[in-house]
Amino acid sequence: MKVLLVDDDPTLRQTLGIGLRAAGHEVLVTADGRSAIQAAHEDAPDVVVLDLGLPDLSGLDVLQRLRASSTIPVVVLSARAESTEKVQALNLGADDYVTKPFGMDELLARIRAVARRAGSDVPVIRAGDLVIDLPARRVARAGVVIRLTPTEWGLLDLLVRTPGRLVSQQDLLHQVWGPAYGRETHYLRVYVAALRKKLEHDPASPRHLITEPGMGYRFEP
Amino acid sequence: MKVLLVDDDPTLRQTLGIGLRAAGHEVLVTADGRSAIQAAHEDAPDVVVLDLGLPDLSGLDVLQRLRASSTIPVVVLSARAESTEKVQALNLGADDYVTKPFGMDELLARIRAVARRAGSDVPVIRAGDLVIDLPARRVARAGVVIRLTPTEWGLLDLLVRTPGRLVSQQDLLHQVWGPAYGRETHYLRVYVAALRKKLEHDPASPRHLITEPGMGYRFEP
DNA sequence: GCCGATCTTGACGAGTTCCTGACGCCGGGA
DNA sequence: TCCCGGCGTCAGGAACTCGTCAAGATCGGC
């Protein structure tokens, strides 16, 4: 597994690097946030191990920027056990949070757990000539990337996560628009229409985004 | 899996929510008992995680009301390890009881266990060449998907949930059309006929949707 | 503060679903 | 034999749902 290690402390960098390699991982190392973000994009690691408290950007900043453009699993290291920082980190999308001091065993276990979860999803769905990459938030039809608005994504995401299964109108409204919405089925009609226009060959007779009258919608692979 | 999280502590709500989402669950959150009960009905979660000690209703009350109308698995969280409360909760129908402080891993494991137990109930029913997938809202006969209207679904759903057992006309009317309906047995005749037409080989001599004259109907697998 | 993209809202036609009444069949009892 | 209650069937019209288009409101970036 390819691990990107981001830490400004040379000693720790070395220690962790050795431990990770000993466990059979391929290790990339950077010492600051800027190069970390760059490396995360260019080298496509499987996991990022991120130490908070870097020289140029705060670790939380790095995390935020990472999350803005990718869903690579991130394990955060920190010297503080404070709950606020921990919650902040998890809020920004960290997948796990490890407090120093920690044993190499623990870190390895967390990395394994986090990577397993990320891999076990259903990252890319193929349906006909559609390719839907949920983590990357990309859809392509016949190789051409299609732009979706945030709401369109919310809807498609929800439907695609349970292929072939009906999702009720209420569920869709609650999840995409919020718990206060439950009767505004009009929204669904408008946005399903928009999705069909972008994704279906013949929006008038859809093959993937199927209506179940009176009940909801389903995504058919 | 869809998890309904009921907790009045915002911090805990956030932390648990993140943990649950990280584990791949879809998370619905409510902060009080009233909305919890509502959400449990409207959103049909797979599991409810219920913290005792809510502002408006006691957690045990919520549990009781939930159980009055549904069999959704419930995992109870509590700060107390007292045996009496634990026994009370389990008596009221809680499926598991977790004492604070607990690890995310533990909670996830319990949720999984509880949902597995409940899920082994009636996910997909096979009867002859019929395949009825209740959660996905799909029926197929001899491999061909059959479209049902919402009312037809309501009826079939109810009958199929207790295979081989008689369901009275009143029960059917109450559950599908509402508590105000009880004498309109005509509806049943029309819709049972429609179901037979779609599901039975020979609608005139049904093998699955059986009439019990004067009593009700029965689904025979 | 402006401009473009996105989201909301309204109106209407087409199609489906639901309700309702009428009728026929069957078996049991008078 | 006739009557009667319960069930199955059919068909028409009312009511609802969905898809569509377009115009206004709102949001966000520059």
Side-chain angles (χ1 to χ4, degrees):
Chain A
M1 203 156 51
K2 205 191 285 184
V3 179
L4 172 60
L5 174 60
V6 188
D7 204 318
D8 63 320
D9 174 356
T11 313
L12 207 52
R13 225 153 54 210
Q14 204 167 23
T15 317
L16 294 179
I18 291 168
L20 289 168
R21 284 200 187 85
H25 297 306
E26 183 185 333
V27 182
L28 310 167
V29 185
T30 67
D32 62 88
R34 231 167 282 284
S35 45
I37 291 169
Q38 193 182 354
H41 284 119
E42 294 179 359
D43 299 320
D46 298 299
V47 182
V48 177
V49 175
L50 174 65
D51 194 345
L52 297 185
L54 299 171
D56 55 343
L57 296 170
S58 112
L60 291 174
D61 273 343
V62 175
L63 179 56
Q64 194 163 28
R65 298 216 190 167
L66 270 177
R67 270 292 166 276
S69 56
S70 103
T71 56
I72 301 177
V74 176
V75 176
V76 165
L77 307 181
S78 169
R80 312 187 207 174
E82 293 161 26
S83 168
T84 54
E85 193 188 62
K86 186 167 173 175
V87 168
Q88 254 187 314
L90 293 172
N91 261 343
L92 287 175
D95 294 80
D96 208 339
Y97 187 99
V98 184
T99 309
K100 299 176 196 172
F102 54 86
M104 198 62 215
D105 292 348
E106 187 185 350
L107 180 61
L108 287 173
R110 306 253 194 178
I111 286 174
R112 228 177 299 125
V114 155
R116 178 160 28 82
R117 277 196 308 240
S120 70
D121 271 333
V122 198
V124 180
I125 289 111
R126 269 164 241 274
D129 58 355
L130 281 182
V131 179
I132 303 170
D133 187 337
L134 288 181
R137 300 225 134 192
R138 282 168 78 93
V139 205
R141 195 177 85 188
V144 184
V145 173
I146 295 175
R147 284 174 42 86
L148 297 183
T149 72
T151 311
E152 287 165 0
W153 249 114
L155 210 56
L156 183 65
D157 184 302
L158 216 58
L159 288 168
V160 157
R161 280 213 145 82
T162 56
R165 221 179 119 158
L166 178 100
V167 185
S168 77
Q169 302 182 343
Q170 286 209 350
D171 280 357
L172 290 169
L173 286 167
H174 284 171
Q175 297 298 313
V176 178
W177 278 268
Y181 296 73
R183 250 164 284 284
E184 291 78 351
T185 59
H186 196 155
Y187 293 178
L188 291 178
R189 279 183 260 145
V190 173
Y191 279 90
V192 167
L195 277 176
R196 292 214 256 242
K197 206 166 185 176
K198 293 185 178 181
L199 303 182
E200 298 273 6
H201 264 108
D202 178 6
S205 57
R207 298 169 56 87
H208 301 300
L209 293 166
I210 310 296
T211 304
E212 295 287 353
M215 301 195 285
Y217 294 86
R218 88 170 78 232
F219 177 83
E220 199 67 41
Chain B
M1 200 154 54
K2 205 192 283 184
V3 179
L4 172 61
L5 174 60
V6 188
D7 204 316
D8 63 319
D9 175 357
T11 313
L12 206 53
R13 222 153 57 211
Q14 208 165 23
T15 315
L16 293 179
I18 292 165
L20 289 167
R21 284 201 186 86
H25 298 306
E26 183 182 338
V27 182
L28 310 167
V29 185
T30 68
D32 61 272
R34 231 166 283 284
S35 44
I37 290 168
Q38 191 183 352
H41 284 119
E42 293 181 359
D43 299 319
D46 297 296
V47 182
V48 177
V49 175
L50 173 65
D51 195 347
L52 297 187
L54 299 171
D56 53 345
L57 297 170
S58 113
L60 291 174
D61 272 343
V62 176
L63 179 56
Q64 194 164 27
R65 299 215 189 165
L66 269 178
R67 270 293 164 276
S69 56
S70 103
T71 56
I72 301 178
V74 176
V75 176
V76 166
L77 306 181
S78 170
R80 311 188 208 172
E82 293 162 26
S83 168
T84 54
E85 196 190 52
K86 183 168 175 175
V87 168
Q88 254 189 312
L90 293 173
N91 268 343
L92 285 175
D95 293 81
D96 206 340
Y97 187 98
V98 183
T99 310
K100 299 175 195 171
F102 55 86
M104 200 61 217
D105 293 348
E106 187 188 349
L107 180 61
L108 287 173
R110 306 252 192 178
I111 287 175
R112 230 176 297 124
V114 157
R116 179 156 28 80
R117 260 180 288 166
S120 65
D121 271 335
V122 214
V124 179
I125 290 110
R126 268 165 242 275
D129 57 356
L130 280 181
V131 179
I132 304 172
D133 186 337
L134 289 182
R137 296 232 137 184
R138 267 191 149 189
V139 208
R141 195 176 83 188
V144 183
V145 173
I146 296 175
R147 290 175 41 90
L148 298 183
T149 72
T151 312
E152 288 164 1
W153 253 113
L155 211 55
L156 182 65
D157 185 304
L158 216 58
L159 289 168
V160 156
R161 280 214 145 83
T162 56
R165 268 182 53 182
L166 175 91
V167 185
S168 77
Q169 301 183 341
Q170 285 211 353
D171 280 357
L172 290 169
L173 286 167
H174 285 164
Q175 296 294 319
V176 178
W177 277 269
Y181 296 75
R183 248 167 291 280
E184 292 79 351
T185 60
H186 194 157
Y187 295 180
L188 292 178
R189 277 181 261 144
V190 173
Y191 280 92
V192 167
L195 276 177
R196 284 187 182 140
K197 206 168 187 174
K198 292 185 178 181
L199 303 181
E200 298 274 5
H201 265 108
D202 179 7
S205 57
R207 298 168 55 88
H208 300 300
L209 294 166
I210 312 296
T211 305
E212 298 286 355
M215 319 258 292
Y217 293 86
R218 192 156 50 81
F219 178 82
E220 199 62 43

